[in-house]
Amino acid sequence: MKVPKLATLACAAALSVGVSVTALAETATVAVSQIVEHPALDAARNGLLDGLKAKGYTPGENLDFKYQTAQGNPAIAVQIARQYVGEQPDVLVGIATPSAQALAAATKDIPIIFTAVTDPVGAKLVKNMDAPSGNVTGLSDLSPVAQHVALAKELLPELTTIGVVYNPGEANAVTLVELLREAANAQGIKVVEGTALKSADVQSAAQVVATQADVIYAPTDNTVASAIDGLIAAANSADTPVIGGSTSYIPNGAVVALGFDYYSVGVQTSDYVAAVLEGKPVSSLPAKVALGSDLAVNRAAANRLGITVPDTILDRAARIQD
């Protein structure tokens, strides 16, 4: 492992106070900023930490793992980014688009690894996925939106409308809704849209959309994810099923979902962080779309809505919740 720059600078001070230089010299500092706490992003963070442990980085021994959440507020994400930059960690990690953007705006020098970012190019984190030219690279969780629309059609062959609630202030959400419009149009399906600038707005927006759509698509929008219970409650009150862009929505009552295992996404992110800690330049680490996705079914939720999930879906499901 390379000697992190902070540890090198601290050695002289350590000598004067009798602190072990060896301990300091072998400690890497990784500072994580997460836009909001919800199951998918929390799983990504846990996967990151476990992935680093598996590579020999142990908190309290040779790893200082810092973590803060912006509680869904981009302005707080900016404050966290400025604080972290002042502390000069070895690697900054941004979980979700707004946090990654805040970190990228705060420094051009400290390596930044993003994860769970839908569209890194559209979010202006990298200009080229294959050849990052600055201090930023990482993993995208771009949802297979066309597959989500096909899944909705497979579940409800007669559907003509698909609803969606999203935060137009999130670049990732805007990208997903654009992809949804394209995929739905190709299937001759109308999209009914509702907007929510904060989590408190999600349920009321969903109440309106649920009365106008055959199904609601819940994207990997951080505002929606943080209020997924409200969205699903609104959909249930209108007997409208929810299709999830993340399998983390299944326990909350989504009928079917296709998405990443975010714990695995976090483990994959640890590969980037470890590579930087071991001395590889960010420019040598292409940004990629994370690997692996699962289909999950909540048969109990389907039964409550009087929906029979086709065997073609059940046979492909990696997880079925009864």
Side-chain angles (χ1 to χ4, degrees), residues 35 50 62 125 158 251 273:
I35 187 60
D50 286 350
N62 61 352
L125 292 169
E158 303 302 319
V273 175

Side-chain angles (χ1 to χ4, degrees), residues 13-310:
L15 286 171
S16 66
V17 296
V19 176
S20 167
V21 174
T22 301
L24 281 170
E26 294 179 351
T27 299
T29 301
V30 176
V32 179
S33 176
Q34 181 174 313
I35 187 60
V36 70
E37 290 186 329
H38 62 68
L41 299 188
D42 293 346
R45 185 181 74 252
N46 291 334
L48 166 64
L49 182 55
D50 286 350
L52 289 172
K53 289 177 182 176
K55 293 173 174 60
Y57 295 92
T58 304
E61 295 182 11
N62 61 352
L63 175 64
D64 182 9
F65 189 86
K66 300 177 181 290
Y67 162 69
Q68 292 190 58
T69 175
Q71 301 170 9
N73 189 330
I76 296 177
V78 170
Q79 295 172 8
I80 292 170
R82 290 172 178 168
Q83 177 191 331
Y84 277 162
V85 169
E87 295 171 356
Q88 291 288 295
D90 295 293
V91 182
L92 291 162
V93 178
I95 300 181
T97 303
S99 287
Q101 288 175 316
L103 292 173
T107 179
K108 303 302 179 187
D109 300 315
I110 302 171
I112 298 169
I113 305 300
F114 60 77
T115 192
V117 168
T118 298
D119 182 5
V121 175
K124 298 183 170 31
L125 292 169
V126 294
K127 292 182 180 179
N128 186 324
M129 293 280 284
D130 294 327
S133 58
N135 63 320
V136 184
T137 190
L139 283 174
S140 166
D141 65 342
L142 180 62
S143 292
V145 179
Q147 292 181 47
H148 292 148
V149 173
L151 181 62
K153 188 76 172 175
E154 186 177 3
L155 180 70
L156 299 173
E158 303 302 319
L159 85 86
T160 59
T161 55
I162 185 167
V164 64
V165 175
Y166 71 104
N167 182 350
E170 285 192 32
N172 53 304
V174 171
T175 296
L176 291 172
V177 173
E178 289 174 352
L179 292 172
L180 177 64
R181 294 184 193 118
E182 292 174 8
N185 183 63
Q187 296 265 3
I189 299 170
K190 177 184 176 182
V191 177
V192 179
E193 300 176 20
T195 58
L197 293 174
K198 56 184 184 297
S199 58
D201 299 334
V202 170
Q203 184 164 359
S204 58
Q207 286 172 342
V208 175
V209 170
T211 63
Q212 302 173 15
D214 298 316
V215 65
I216 289 184
Y217 172 56
T220 54
D221 172 316
N222 296 297
T223 303
V224 169
S226 65
I228 190 64
D229 285 330
L231 181 142
I232 291 175
N236 285 343
S237 68
D239 293 329
T240 304
V242 173
I243 305 292
S246 169
T247 56
S248 66
Y249 299 157
I250 285 292
N252 305 87
V255 173
V256 294
L258 176 67
F260 290 103
D261 175 343
Y262 276 87
Y263 179 86
S264 174
V265 171
V267 172
Q268 293 173 57
T269 305
S270 74
D271 293 340
Y272 281 88
V273 175
V276 171
L277 291 175
E278 290 160 10
K280 290 188 178 179
V282 169
S283 59
S284 72
L285 303 170
K288 299 177 181 179
V289 176
L291 299 175
S293 61
D294 291 327
L295 173 62
V297 175
N298 187 329
R299 193 152 43 188
N303 290 340
R304 284 195 298 272
L305 294 169
I307 296 171
T308 300
V309 180

